[in-house]
Every structure is written in structure tokens, then in C-alpha cells.
Amino acid sequence: MSGHANSLRAILLALGANFAIFVAKMVAAVMTGSGAMMAEAVHSLADCGNQGLLLLGMQQAKKPPSDDYPLGWGRALYFWSFIVAVLLFAVGGLFSAYEGVHKLSQPEPLKRPWIALGVLLFGIIAESISMRGCMQEVNRARGEQNLWVWFRETRSSELLVIFGEDLAALVGLCLAALAIGATMLTGNLIFDALGTIAIGVLLVVVAFALAIEVKALLIGQGVEPRRRTELLAFLNDRPEVAEILHLITLQ
């Protein structure tokens, strides 16, 4: 059986980790001139803003129903989650890809690459802590479902976005470390540029996947299939219900 996940805890963990990582990355990017590091710094800053928007959405979703909003404000969280996916695509993905292409056409030598690697190691540790906290909440929510089924069927948009952001951030940090390491070993600046482009592609793919899932909730997706099955079983057990012709749900 699945439990109730604490999405707020996952968001706050991610926010704290990303802000610390952003400061460290920006200092390292300025000191080293690494395009991959600059892309990662912008990515972390965008993540901080994204988590702020998720907190705003969670707060708005608590507003009570009114004459203008008889069903309440619950879907405000889906709106802000969709905006986060768009920002991840535009600010994170497209900027990183642009920075990588710019580095290909106008390569700049890396300065103090060991500083960049040290910051990336710090980032990987901090992001791993955030990812661990997120996965604890995801595991509570998904129960016995595998991760892919949970990703496709969950209606917890804020937890879905945090999971996608944390995963992209952790993989992106590893790509940046590999790019800088390869540049240090070979002296070829193309690896730094290619690493930056790879981070951009990663963010675009993750943002696109998140946008597809959250869009369904904005349009008016019903409850999770397992919840629907539970509702049908409950109604069929009621003595006053003779037959269920059609069950309409709205998340």
C-alpha cells in the first residue's frame, strides 16, 4: 500500500541544496571560465526559482472554495508545476545548449579546473542528499509501484517536478565533472563545450517529460488508476448501489 508523501519536505530540501550549490558553482565558473560550470550554475539558480514557485502553488492550493471558484484552488499547484517545467526547458536547457554552442565557436581555456571539480564534488554530495530525501517521499507515495509507473500515474505534480529536477541536477553534475575531467586530461576544450550541450539536452528532455505529465492534470485528468479501482470496489460493496454505469473522477 502507498502512504502519504511529504512534498513540502522534499521541496525545502531541494531548495536548500540548490541555493548552496548555485553559490559554489557561480564562484567556480567565474574563477575557471568553464562553460559547463556556468551552465550548471544557471541550472541551480533556475531550480531555486522553480522551488519557490512550487511553494507558491502549494500555498494557493489551500485557498477555500468561493462563488468564483466553487471547486477550490487545488489545481493552482498544477499550473505552477507546468510553469516550472517550461522554465526548466527555457532557462536551464536552452541556455545550457546555447552556452555549449558558444564555447564550440569561441573556446576559452579553463582556469583553475581543480576548483571546478571540487565544487562539482560538493554539488554531487549536496544533490545526493536532496535526492535521497525526495526518494524517501516518492517511495512513500508509490508503495509497490515501480518508479516508471509512478511517474506516469502520480497526481502529485509538485513531487513529480522535484523528482525530475533532482534527477536532472545529479546527472548534470556528473556530466559537468566528466567534461572538465576530460578537458584537463586531454587539453582539448571541445569536451567542456560538449559537456555543456549534453547538460542542455538532458534538461530539455526532462522538462518535456514533466510538461507532458503535468499538462494532463491541468486539462482535467481523473484520479490514479489504483484509486479508481478502490472507488469502484467501495461503491460496489454499498448495498444501496445496484449498478455502476460510469464513474467520473477529477483530480
Side-chain angles (χ1 to χ4, degrees), residues 2-160:
S2 63
H4 181 69
N6 185 349
S7 299
L8 179 61
R9 176 177 175 269
I11 293 174
L12 292 177
L13 272 174
L15 179 59
N18 280 315
F19 183 75
I21 294 170
F22 160 70
V23 173
K25 285 178 182 176
M26 182 57 68
V27 172
V30 172
M31 295 181 68
T32 63
S34 167
M37 183 61 71
M38 179 61 72
E40 276 297 305
V42 173
H43 175 196
S44 293
L45 179 61
D47 281 351
C48 290
N50 291 344
Q51 281 126 32
L53 292 178
L54 290 178
L55 291 173
L56 174 63
M58 292 181 70
Q59 188 63 34
Q60 287 187 344
K62 296 177 182 178
K63 290 184 179 180
S66 63
D67 290 338
D68 288 334
Y69 299 93
L71 297 181
W73 284 71
R75 288 165 74 180
L77 183 54
Y78 303 152
F79 168 77
W80 288 113
S81 297
F82 186 79
I83 294 298
V84 166
V86 173
L87 289 175
L88 187 65
F89 171 83
V91 179
L94 295 185
F95 175 83
S96 297
Y98 165 78
E99 182 70 14
V101 172
H102 175 72
K103 289 291 184 181
L104 278 178
S105 59
Q106 300 180 26
E108 298 177 9
L110 294 182
K111 298 171 291 184
R112 305 182 184 91
W114 288 108
I115 294 177
L117 285 177
V119 169
L120 287 172
L121 178 60
F122 166 75
I124 289 172
I125 294 172
E127 201 62 60
S128 296
I129 294 172
S130 176
M131 188 66 184
R132 181 176 179 272
C134 178
M135 284 306 303
Q136 287 176 340
E137 305 307 326
V138 169
N139 289 336
R140 289 193 182 100
R142 70 188 179 99
E144 297 178 357
Q145 288 179 314
N146 66 54
L147 202 55
W148 175 248
V149 171
W150 171 83
F151 184 87
R152 295 304 312 274
E153 294 186 355
T154 183
R155 303 303 191 255
S156 179
S157 64
E158 71 282 9
L159 192 57
L160 183 72

Side-chain angles (χ1 to χ4, degrees), residues 190-214:
I190 193 174
F191 289 109
D192 184 51
L194 292 177
T196 309
I197 294 173
I199 292 169
V201 172
L202 168 71
L203 295 179
V204 168
V205 170
V206 171
F208 189 70
L210 291 175
I212 290 175
E213 297 303 321
V214 179

